Amino acid sequence: MLRRHDPTDESPPRHAQGGRGISTRLAWLTLVGGVVLVVARVGVATVVQIHGDGMAPTLLDGDHVMLVRGTWSVDRGDVVVYTPEAGTRTPPPEPQLVEADDPRADNANGDELPDLRDDPDRDLRNTAVIDPEELADNWQKVQDRSGGLVTYEAPTLRVGRVLAVPGDRVAFHVPGVPLGVAIDGEPLVLKPGEPLRLSLRDVDDPEAPAGAPRMRATAWESTDDRRYQVLVPAAPPLDPWPGLELPPAEAGPVELESPAYLVVADNREDGACCDSRAVGWIPADAIRGKVLVRLTGSAAAAPDLDPSARGLQWKP
């Protein structure tokens, strides 16, 4: 049955109501989306500057990154900011040797590994760092805007890449594998890359400006579905994991369940002082956040790279 429109009826036509409803919903979605972004920026994210070249070539001195607080969604391959002083040297449970009948398995006759953290004069200058004062100032602003809901304590901060997360099965001393490490049965994959000219700071004088670009050996490393470039040393170290107090390498491969995060700098030589190789496992409460975006990067610091490669990068 057809219904005739009453000219005295002042209500808008149905199609007009529907159109206005869609517009209203879009407006509300836009408003809610903006509020979510503001809350995220105020509550969990901030922008900081990288100081030092311990994460070269991924992050170079002077780069700006967006940092998201906490350990939620931190996975293998992510770049995190952490406090190395909180590293755990003796992981529970006890390592399980692949060769259980090896008389050297319990390390009873092995030499005691030095505790690098016992030396108060040990210099932590050789790694990529976040300026605690800058981050403290940024988080103070965050706290002010949040009405005191967000708090911050100023620690000593370093930057590194996660190779293993809590619960992973990590094997060490695996022959022919980068750093001798395999995660859940999958060894790290390292493929040689083209040498890069990089303008890096002098590790012996970090206050001095970066020198002229010089050639550095690189490789592409893969873990899970992440692929990233690292700087490799001229010669591998005799003991790549002194901070974990593992059985000696001659005892054979050893596998254990990761009690915390295994964090290693991309600049494998200059960053070795302060990552898991030196300070041990990094517990969750020592991780201050994850680098989500690299915002800017100096093209002059890496003249062999296309300038666009030093620009905005999601999850570097």
Side-chain angles (χ1 to χ4, degrees):
M1 178 179 178
L2 296 177
R3 180 179 178 182
R4 301 181 62 184
H5 177 65
D6 185 354
T8 62
D9 186 359
E10 297 182 355
S11 61
R14 290 182 181 271
H15 65 83
Q17 292 178 348
R20 185 171 61 185
I22 294 175
S23 299
T24 301
R25 286 194 291 271
L26 288 176
W28 273 107
L29 288 174
T30 302
L31 178 60
V32 170
V35 171
V36 169
L37 289 176
V38 170
V39 170
R41 175 64 180 89
V42 169
V44 298
T46 190
V47 175
V48 292
Q49 187 178 31
I50 299 294
H51 301 276
D53 296 305
M55 279 298 291
T58 306
L59 300 174
L60 299 179
D61 183 67
D63 286 356
H64 286 81
V65 298
M66 176 175 287
L67 173 68
V68 179
R69 294 193 75 183
T71 58
W72 67 276
S73 78
V74 170
D75 205 350
R76 301 175 194 165
D78 287 339
V79 177
V80 296
V81 175
Y82 65 97
T83 55
E85 290 80 3
T88 302
R89 294 181 58 82
T90 306
E94 290 296 325
Q96 300 175 359
L97 291 175
V98 176
E99 299 293 339
D101 57 349
D102 193 317
R104 297 167 296 175
D106 58 1
N107 199 22
N109 299 323
D111 296 332
E112 182 178 356
L113 298 177
D115 187 342
L116 300 182
R117 299 181 303 167
D118 289 343
D119 183 2
D121 296 327
R122 187 171 62 90
D123 197 343
L124 301 182
R125 67 185 182 278
N126 295 346
T127 187
V129 301
I130 297 294
D131 186 351
E133 294 183 1
E134 177 188 2
L135 190 56
D137 182 64
N138 286 352
W139 281 126
Q140 183 61 51
K141 296 175 183 177
V142 169
Q143 184 178 5
D144 294 342
R145 290 196 294 268
S146 67
L149 297 178
V150 178
T151 59
Y152 174 76
E153 310 82 24
T156 300
L157 301 174
R158 300 293 183 264
V159 186
R161 190 179 299 274
V162 175
L163 294 187
V165 300
D168 284 346
R169 300 295 302 182
V170 185
F172 297 92
H173 303 327
V174 181
V177 174
L179 298 176
V181 168
I183 312 295
D184 287 342
E186 295 293 331
L188 289 181
V189 177
L190 197 70
K191 295 184 178 181
E194 293 293 332
L196 283 178
R197 285 183 301 156
L198 295 173
S199 180
L200 305 182
R201 287 184 177 274
D202 185 352
V203 296
D204 295 323
D205 188 6
E207 300 301 325
R214 62 187 180 93
M215 300 301 294
R216 297 293 297 264
T218 74
W220 290 96
E221 188 172 270
S222 300
T223 175
D224 287 346
D225 59 346
R226 298 292 296 275
R227 183 172 180 265
Y228 44 88
Q229 198 171 20
V230 300
L231 296 185
V232 294
L238 297 178
D239 181 9
W241 300 99
L244 293 183
E245 293 185 335
L246 298 170
E250 56 268 21
V254 56
E255 185 178 69
L256 52 87
E257 181 176 337
S258 172
Y261 294 88
L262 192 69
V263 179
V264 176
D266 284 359
N267 187 338
R268 295 294 160 81
E269 187 170 13
D270 296 348
C273 69
C274 317
D275 58 21
S276 288
R277 291 171 290 176
V279 303
W281 302 91
I282 305 299
D285 58 6
I287 292 183
R288 294 297 183 258
K290 177 174 76 172
V291 174
L292 195 63
V293 182
R294 185 189 67 197
L295 300 175
T296 60
S298 172
D304 292 339
L305 295 177
D306 188 286
S308 61
R310 297 289 302 138
L312 185 70
Q313 183 180 5
W314 176 260
K315 298 183 73 171

